[in-house]
């Protein structure tokens, strides 16, 4: 029913102020969880969901994010000459095919809606995905695949959600729910960071979207929302009269890596999944807690 989702947008032009001083010269999305930068987890999630084109919304000082998905000739030659085939193969395997990575400059971080709007010419008239790399999601199937499975049936705008405590609604985009079968919620709107007292539900978006290009009709108007930023939430909300809108409950583990404690927790959780280090990590964490 719905068109195939082939393209994904990765907004990485934010300033990462919650992670200063680490993010003074390094992009937040390059921070590693164990040994892989956040952006690579997001790209791998998208690739595993069948995405073919990867569009980075970058800003000044963020070119390194694009370089990460290109050849590193000196390093590759060195690894080859030292017989370190495994590392070399893993580096090469993480690169999308030629012509499938594009970078668009946002120039000024005017908000997530504005970041996505900057990719409009690269997206054309087809549904597309948006992934926020600082939300690290651990699941099988990957979160974006879970969304695409639902999108294939219902079309329109589809976002990943999780139920948050009432007092945290002012940190998220919150769905205004019409009906809910416990897995998929049909929504009639979305509000950015509502006060707990007036939040329409506790279903919060967790940084994964499949969007209909109709959202650009609203984003074209460049209207500022909460925090003086051009909000993607407002564009989704504005299209719910004409486009179906659903939230899909994410099944898996979620780590908010834009937050320091979330980031540290992700490092421990992902390290515990790695057979070659799990025992040592368990021992080290146990010793710290003892
Ligand atoms: P966040 O608000 O979590 O990221 O935006 P931030 O602004 O970088 O971080 P803090 O709050 O100052 O610590 C969510 C995502 O949207 C991107 C960010 O890079 C991040 O991946 N973003 C945000 C943009 O690309 N452009 C913007 O104008 C705003």
């Amino acid at each position: 029913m719905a068109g195939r989702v082939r393209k994904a947008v990765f907004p990485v032009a934010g300033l990462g102020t919650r992670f200063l001083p680490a993010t003074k010269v390094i992009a937040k999305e390059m921070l590693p969880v164990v040994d892989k930068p956040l952006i690579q987890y997001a790209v791998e999630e998208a690739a595993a969901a069948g995405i073919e084109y990867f569009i980075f919304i970058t800003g000044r000082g963020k070119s390194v994010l694009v370089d990460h998905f290109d050849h590193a000739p000196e390093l590759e030659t060195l690894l080859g000459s030292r017989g370190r085939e495994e590392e070399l193969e893993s580096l090469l395997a993480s690169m999308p095919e030629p012509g499938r990575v594009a970078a668009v400059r946002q120039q000024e971080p005017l908000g997530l809606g504005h970041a996505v709007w900057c990719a409009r010419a690269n997206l054309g008239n087809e549904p597309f995905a948006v992934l926020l790399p600082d939300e690290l999601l651990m699941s099988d199937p990957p979160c974006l695949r879970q969304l695409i499975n639902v999108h294939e049936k219902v079309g329109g705008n589809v976002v990943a959600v999780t139920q948050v405590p009432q007092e945290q609604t002012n940190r998220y985009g919150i769905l205004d729910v019409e009906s809910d079968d416990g897995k998929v919620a049909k929504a009639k709107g979305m509000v950015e960071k509502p006060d707990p007292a007036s939040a329409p539900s506790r279903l919060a978006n967790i940084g994964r979207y499949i969007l209909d290009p109709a959202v650009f009709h609203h984003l074209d108007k460049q209207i500022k929302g909460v925090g003086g930023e051009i909000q993607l939430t407002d564009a989704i909300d504005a299209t719910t009269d004409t486009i179906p809108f659903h939230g899909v409950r994410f099944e898996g583990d979620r780590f908010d890596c834009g937050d320091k404690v979330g980031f540290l927790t992700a490092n421990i959780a992902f390290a515990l999944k790695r057979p070659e280090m799990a025992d040592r990590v368990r021992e080290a964490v146990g010793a710290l807690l003892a």
Side-chain angles (χ1 to χ4, degrees):
M1 155 180 184
R4 203 159 76 78
V5 184
R6 303 183 307 141
K7 300 179 181 176
V9 177
F10 301 84
V12 291
L15 298 178
T17 54
R18 282 173 294 161
F19 246 104
L20 285 168
T23 47
K24 187 176 170 192
V25 288
I26 294 175
K28 172 171 71 175
E29 299 79 5
M30 282 306 292
L31 294 177
V33 167
V34 185
D35 52 8
K36 204 192 281 186
L38 286 169
I39 186 66
Q40 192 174 334
Y41 286 98
V43 165
E44 287 177 0
E45 179 189 331
I51 294 297
E52 295 168 6
Y53 296 94
F54 307 85
I55 302 162
F56 297 93
I57 312 299
T58 67
R60 285 194 311 121
K62 299 272 185 159
S63 311
V64 66
L65 284 158
V66 186
D67 291 344
H68 185 73
F69 295 95
D70 200 351
H71 280 291
E74 283 170 15
L75 182 61
E76 288 165 17
T77 307
L78 187 91
L79 289 174
S81 69
R82 293 188 179 171
R84 293 169 67 174
E85 297 302 328
E86 210 177 302
E87 284 125 314
L88 181 57
E89 271 166 34
S90 116
L91 278 191
L92 297 177
S94 68
M95 272 184 2
E97 287 174 34
R100 295 200 164 184
V101 173
V104 175
R105 283 284 187 137
Q106 192 189 8
Q107 294 162 328
E108 267 187 283
L110 298 179
L112 181 58
H114 182 262
V116 172
W117 177 79
C118 288
R120 64 202 179 284
N122 298 59
L123 293 168
N125 192 29
E126 56 183 281
F128 61 95
V130 177
L131 296 93
L132 305 189
D134 53 0
E135 286 280 2
L136 182 51
L137 306 175
M138 192 199 267
S139 66
D140 185 18
C143 182
L144 192 63
R145 185 71 247 171
Q146 296 178 23
L147 290 194
I148 288 176
N149 290 344
V150 173
H151 183 259
E152 281 169 355
K153 295 186 195 116
V154 300
N157 293 326
V158 177
V159 301
V161 294
T162 192
Q163 186 145 316
V164 296
Q166 189 80 36
E167 66 275 14
Q168 290 181 12
T169 59
N170 53 7
R171 299 188 202 166
Y172 298 92
I174 300 288
L175 269 59
D176 187 356
V177 177
E178 193 175 297
S179 61
D180 187 354
D181 69 7
K183 165 85 184 124
V184 179
K186 185 168 171 25
K188 53 181 188 286
M190 191 175 178
V191 190
E192 187 63 26
K193 300 187 175 68
D195 275 343
S198 59
S201 78
R202 291 199 285 136
L203 284 189
N205 171 246
I206 51 167
R208 296 293 183 278
Y209 311 73
I210 295 175
L211 299 177
D212 187 282
V215 293
F216 290 116
H217 300 320
H218 180 84
L219 292 174
D220 280 341
K221 297 178 194 154
Q222 307 275 295
I223 300 169
K224 288 183 180 160
V226 171
E229 296 191 0
I230 298 170
Q231 298 286 356
L232 188 57
T233 294
D234 295 343
I236 296 170
D237 184 64
T239 54
T240 47
D241 289 345
T242 48
I243 302 280
F245 176 35
H246 293 85
V248 180
R249 278 190 175 73
F250 167 59
E251 288 174 16
D253 295 318
R254 163 182 172 249
F255 304 92
D256 176 4
C257 289
D259 168 78
K260 286 170 196 168
V261 174
F263 175 77
L264 292 171
T265 312
N267 268 284
I268 296 166
F270 277 72
L272 289 172
K273 293 271 177 199
R274 298 270 290 263
E276 78 280 16
M277 65 177 79
D279 287 347
R280 278 187 299 146
V281 172
R282 204 170 285 115
E283 214 174 287
V285 174
L288 287 173
L289 296 175

